[in-house]
Structures are given as structure tokens and as C-alpha cells.
Amino acid sequence: MTVMAKPEHTKARTVVSAPALSPDTTQKPDLISVEQAKAMDVARMTDLFKAHLNPGQLHFMKLLGFHKIKIERAEGMFYIDQNGRKILDFFGGFGSLAFGHNHPRILEARRKFQEEKRQEIAIAFMSQYAAALAHNIAKCSPGELDMVFLGSSGSEAMEAAVKLAERAAGPKRPKVVYAENSFHGKTKGVLAITDGQLYRADFKVAENVVRIPFADIEAVERAFRTDPEIGVIVLETIQGGGGIIQAPAEYWQKLRALCDQYGVLWVADEVQCGYGRSGRFYAFEHYGVIPDVTALAKSLGGGKAAVGAMIARREIYMKAYGTPKTAMIHAMATFGGMGEACVTSIEALNVLYDEGLIDNAAVTGDYLLQRLQALREKYPKMIKDVRGKGLMVGLEFHDFSQTLPMVLRPVVSVLDDKLKGSLSGFVGALLLRDYDVLVAFTEYNRNVIRLEPPLICQREHVDRFIEALDRLLSRGIVSIVKDFVKSQVR
């Protein structure tokens, strides 16, 4: 038997000195003010980017010449740099700038919200602004897509979409089908259905996924028929990161029929191709079909706020979260449905229709494709393909060896994989340097230049872009390479 000695009691107390309560207790660090940030020069920006943001990314910015530019302001279709140079924006923030930069109606809505000191975060109470935005999104959505979850990004919207669909499918059908070359976000959950080794790296991702080729309806049917655990299929209606890749109308119509036949829920990722960019509010509307769940983001925030949304059929939503016991499983997060962000989105949706921007995307997009097809015919040794819908367009260049004289092709072709993306990179860099035009690129097919200008884009902007591209390509491949190399040594 062990006897524990009882500690002696003492009246003595341990006294801890509290810090003196004075204004000097918490010292303010060496912080940069708003005005100092505004006045910062390119050299200082570069130092801070390297020290605190992403040193590796700076390498690519230098290759493209982006590191030399400080944007002072932006308006409409243009960025304006530190020298007053107007840069035509055919990048559009990967589809985030449907209204161009700083649309006056959207700015005014935000100004009024701030001046009236309206509530911003309304987690405890219902928000009239979140309710109104959800109503508006439902009104813009076809069929029974009327239940809305509000978040802050495309990744968050897709996380919500996949979770909802998986839960509605039930525990006996946990598997999710996704497509090759898909991009659904970089957050941990949707990383499992984002088909890029660069992003997946060595992260441990969910294993309840099935990968199939994009636009292959036989592969879809085979997967559904042979694996009864499949409950969800997730697809971009137009693959953005894959190089602006589309599937024919019959694919989507057969997909809808197969999902109904096998009881599989279809999640359509419209984060990049939605919100009018294709010439319809949703790209899937071109094909006369409606998914069970979809997602929006990018321009949903009017170019001034970070807003994403999942939209689902009420039946699906209620099956997943329709009772008091399940309602809070995936309720809005702190910054979902923030007041000013919702007001921004409400005004933006009204502008989208009031200014006819969806129809403009269809008409101006057709014109852009026509002008690019003419350039393809003019430069067949450089331009391999032109494709897209509305103002979501891909311009694909040949592998580098195919642009060279026949005698050099066999020698250089062994380097094509390492050189992939070089020509599109050269063209993008020189368009910016010599012609004040900004374009983007795609994640998986690096030979593709991605064109997603704001939906306010007019024929005159297309003409300026095409003229610049024509003049650049007319230099010939050798001169383009030489000019790019010179830009790197200056």
C-alpha cells in the first residue's frame, strides 16, 4: 500500500507582477501605410514580393516582363501603369472581370453601402442582402436550380457542390467521377478532382474518385455500369485549364440521360465558363440540359468582391441538409454572404442584363473567333487551332519544332516537350512589351493562349488585339525568338 503524503498548507501566495497598463505596452511594428503602399516603386514591390509572397513565381513574372509594371489604376478594358501606359486587358482575371475594371454602377452601389454604415457580417441575423442575392441567382438559373450557398471563391463553391452531391448520393455511393485535364480548385477537397500533378504535388488526396477522359460518353457509361458505388460526376462545361476544351451537344444530352438512368448526380463546374461568358448565363444552357448542382464565382463579385455560389435543385439540397439536425453541416462560413459583397453582386447581376452583356459576349465572341480563324489561315505554321465559345477563347500554337524550317524539325522535335509553351510565352510577353496587350495562358496545355476579355469588350478592342497579334506574328518565328531573348538581357 502506497501512502501519499499530503502537502503542507501555507498561507504564502505566489505573486506574479502584471505588466504596467500604459500606452507603451504594445509597440506598433514598422508597418506600411496605405499611402506608402500606393507610392511604392517597382523595386520595393519586387523586394517585398520575394521576401513575403512567392519568390519562385517571380521567376515566371520576369520571363514574361510582368515584374517591370506597376498598375496605378484600371478602368473599363484597360490597366494604366506607372508611366500612364494603357494596357488592353484580354486576360480578364481568368474570367473575373465581366464588367471591366471599376464599373461606375458597381462602385456607386458599394459607396452607398459604406456611407450608410450598413451591416457587413450578419451571422447571427438573417441578411436581406444575402437573401436577395440568393433569389437573384435562382432567378437566373434554369429549371429547379434554386437553392444557393454563398461563399468567397470558386474553390469554396465547388467544395460545397461536391459535399452536397456526395451527401445526397448517400454513403453507399461515395465515388466521384472527374475528367482528365480538369481544374476545380486548389483547396484540399477538390484537389482530388483537379487533374494536375503540379497542384496535387505529393499531397494526400481523397481516394473515392474515378478518372475518365473528357467528352467521352462511352467512358462515362462504362464507369456508371461497372461501378455501382459511383454517385456523382463533376465536369467543367468548358475546360479552362485544359486549354478551352468543349464537348459536343450530344455528349451533354447523353450525359443527362445516363445520370438519370443510373441515379448519378451531375455537378457542372461553371466557375469560369458561367455568368454569361459563353453567350448564355450558363454554358450548359447551349445544350438544352440542366445539371443537379452547379457553381459560380469569378465575375459573380462584379470585379470588386470575392463571391462564389453553389446552386442546387431543392430536392437534392433538402436530401443533404433539409432538417434542423443536418442544416448546419455545411452552413455559410463567416465571410459567406457578407453585406457589401452581396450588394456588389446584386448590382452586378442587374448590370449584366441591363447592359446586354450576355448577348454582347455571344456577338463579340463570334467576331473574335472569326478574326482569329483568319490569322490561323494566314499563319498556319504557327497557329494550330482556334476554339471557344463567346468570350472564352483558346489560341493554340504548334509545338516549337513545327514552326521551324523542315530541315530543323527533326533535330528540335526531341525538345518539344521541354519547349512546350515557349512560343505562347514569347508571344504573350511581346504582346505586352510592344503592343500593350495582356493575355493569359492555360495550366495543362501550355501551347494555348487563353483569351477572356471583359464582357464589355467591343469590336474595336478585338480589332486592336488582332492587329497587334498580326504584326507580331508577321515578324516570323526567328525574329520573335530573337526579340524575346533581347528582352531578357535588357
Side-chain angles (χ1 to χ4, degrees), residues 242-246 368-389 392-399 402-403 423-424 442 445 447-451 465-466 469 473:
I244 316 300
I245 305 298
Q246 302 175 74
L368 173 59
L369 284 166
Q370 291 169 17
R371 296 297 312 270
L372 287 171
Q373 288 290 1
L375 282 188
R376 182 190 179 194
E377 294 172 8
K378 187 174 182 179
Y379 303 103
K381 292 183 179 180
M382 290 194 210
I383 299 177
K384 179 179 180 180
D385 192 22
V386 172
R387 54 183 178 265
K389 193 176 288 293
M392 186 173 181
V393 175
L395 173 65
E396 183 174 3
F397 291 96
H398 285 288
D399 282 335
Q402 300 303 304
T403 68
L423 181 54
S424 61
T442 60
N445 186 345
N447 284 343
V448 177
I449 282 180
R450 181 174 1 195
L451 304 172
F465 165 70
I466 293 295
L469 183 59
L473 297 181

Side-chain angles (χ1 to χ4, degrees), residues 31-32 36 42 50 66 125 175 227 243 264 353 428-429 441 459:
L31 303 179
I32 296 171
Q36 288 171 329
V42 172
K50 183 186 292 187
F66 292 178
F125 309 103
K175 291 188 179 179
D227 194 342
V264 174
Y353 287 95
F441 309 94
R459 289 170 71 102

Side-chain angles (χ1 to χ4, degrees), residues 181-423:
N181 293 324
S182 60
F183 182 89
H184 298 292
K186 300 176 186 175
T187 49
K188 196 64 160 36
V190 291
L191 198 59
I193 54 172
T194 288
D195 188 39
Q197 190 54 46
L198 171 66
Y199 302 120
R200 287 190 173 204
D202 54 359
F203 294 110
K204 179 69 173 176
V205 298
E207 297 178 348
N208 61 321
V209 294
V210 178
R211 180 176 180 262
I212 62 170
F214 182 68
D216 184 340
I217 198 64
E218 292 180 0
V220 174
E221 184 168 15
R222 189 163 50 249
F224 288 4
R225 185 178 65 250
T226 58
D227 194 342
E229 290 191 347
I230 290 174
V232 181
I233 184 168
V234 183
L235 299 167
E236 296 162 273
T237 314
I238 302 174
Q239 287 193 328
I244 316 300
I245 305 298
Q246 302 175 74
E250 55 267 26
Y251 172 84
W252 299 108
Q253 292 156 7
K254 289 179 180 177
L255 175 71
R256 179 68 273 177
L258 285 172
C259 286
D260 292 340
Q261 178 183 344
Y262 287 93
V264 174
L265 298 178
W266 168 26
V267 177
D269 184 343
E270 292 261 340
V271 166
Q272 190 169 152
C273 62
Y275 203 82
R277 179 148 297 278
S278 73
R280 297 285 183 91
F281 188 81
Y282 292 104
F284 59 73
E285 292 183 274
H286 288 281
Y287 312 117
V289 291
I290 302 173
D292 299 294
V293 186
T294 188
L296 294 170
K298 303 294 185 185
S299 289
L300 184 59
K304 300 299 293 184
V307 183
M310 174 208 73
I311 311 96
R313 292 197 293 117
R314 185 177 187 85
E315 177 188 356
I316 304 300
Y317 184 91
M318 296 302 287
K319 189 173 182 181
Y321 307 131
T323 68
K325 185 177 180 180
T326 60
M328 302 306 291
I329 291 175
H330 199 94
M332 278 196 297
T334 306
F335 299 117
M338 288 182 68
E340 189 172 340
C342 287
V343 164
T344 305
S345 292
I346 291 168
E347 185 68 1
L349 277 169
N350 279 278
V351 171
L352 186 71
Y353 287 95
D354 290 346
E355 298 190 358
L357 297 185
I358 298 176
D359 294 336
N360 184 66
V363 174
T364 307
D366 284 345
Y367 181 64
L368 173 59
L369 284 166
Q370 291 169 17
R371 296 297 312 270
L372 287 171
Q373 288 290 1
L375 282 188
R376 182 190 179 194
E377 294 172 8
K378 187 174 182 179
Y379 303 103
K381 292 183 179 180
M382 290 194 210
I383 299 177
K384 179 179 180 180
D385 192 22
V386 172
R387 54 183 178 265
K389 193 176 288 293
L391 288 173
M392 186 173 181
V393 175
L395 173 65
E396 183 174 3
F397 291 96
H398 285 288
D399 282 335
F400 196 74
S401 66
Q402 300 303 304
T403 68
L404 300 174
M406 288 294 295
V407 68
L408 296 175
R409 290 183 187 180
V411 178
V412 180
S413 64
V414 296
L415 299 173
D416 272 340
D417 189 56
K418 291 184 177 180
L419 293 173
K420 191 172 287 290
S422 56
L423 181 54

Side-chain angles (χ1 to χ4, degrees), residues 53-292:
L53 285 171
N54 194 327
Q57 186 179 352
L58 190 60
H59 165 77
F60 298 103
M61 298 181 77
K62 287 181 176 179
L63 280 177
L64 297 168
F66 292 178
H67 70 297
K68 299 176 182 178
I69 295 172
K70 176 190 176 186
I71 299 301
E72 293 288 0
R73 60 190 184 90
E75 185 175 354
M77 286 291 296
F78 296 93
Y79 288 101
I80 297 93
D81 77 358
Q82 71 270 35
N83 301 312
R85 178 172 66 138
K86 295 181 70 176
I87 299 170
L88 180 64
D89 185 5
F90 260 61
F91 166 34
F94 294 120
S96 298
L97 293 162
F99 308 94
H101 299 272
N102 291 305
H103 190 287
R105 273 183 58 178
I106 294 172
L107 291 182
E108 179 64 12
R110 292 169 66 84
R111 183 189 65 79
K112 285 183 178 180
F113 184 93
Q114 295 165 9
E115 286 185 352
E116 295 173 8
K117 298 181 180 178
R118 300 184 222 169
Q119 81 275 17
E120 188 63 272
I121 297 177
I123 299 174
F125 309 103
M126 288 186 291
S127 164
Q128 60 268 52
Y129 308 114
L133 176 56
H135 168 273
N136 287 358
I137 292 172
K139 285 294 185 182
C140 294
S141 303
E144 298 175 352
L145 292 170
D146 61 0
M147 295 299 291
V148 179
F149 169 88
L150 296 174
S152 304
S153 69
S155 292
E156 187 180 2
M158 283 305 299
E159 293 274 3
V162 175
K163 284 181 69 178
L164 175 83
E166 184 178 332
R167 181 168 172 77
K172 293 182 179 180
R173 306 189 69 178
K175 291 188 179 179
V176 179
V177 173
Y178 72 101
E180 293 176 0
N181 293 324
S182 60
F183 182 89
H184 298 292
K186 300 176 186 175
T187 49
K188 196 64 160 36
V190 291
L191 198 59
I193 54 172
T194 288
D195 188 39
Q197 190 54 46
L198 171 66
Y199 302 120
R200 287 190 173 204
D202 54 359
F203 294 110
K204 179 69 173 176
V205 298
E207 297 178 348
N208 61 321
V209 294
V210 178
R211 180 176 180 262
I212 62 170
F214 182 68
D216 184 340
I217 198 64
E218 292 180 0
V220 174
E221 184 168 15
R222 189 163 50 249
F224 288 4
R225 185 178 65 250
T226 58
D227 194 342
E229 290 191 347
I230 290 174
V232 181
I233 184 168
V234 183
L235 299 167
E236 296 162 273
T237 314
I238 302 174
Q239 287 193 328
I244 316 300
I245 305 298
Q246 302 175 74
E250 55 267 26
Y251 172 84
W252 299 108
Q253 292 156 7
K254 289 179 180 177
L255 175 71
R256 179 68 273 177
L258 285 172
C259 286
D260 292 340
Q261 178 183 344
Y262 287 93
V264 174
L265 298 178
W266 168 26
V267 177
D269 184 343
E270 292 261 340
V271 166
Q272 190 169 152
C273 62
Y275 203 82
R277 179 148 297 278
S278 73
R280 297 285 183 91
F281 188 81
Y282 292 104
F284 59 73
E285 292 183 274
H286 288 281
Y287 312 117
V289 291
I290 302 173
D292 299 294

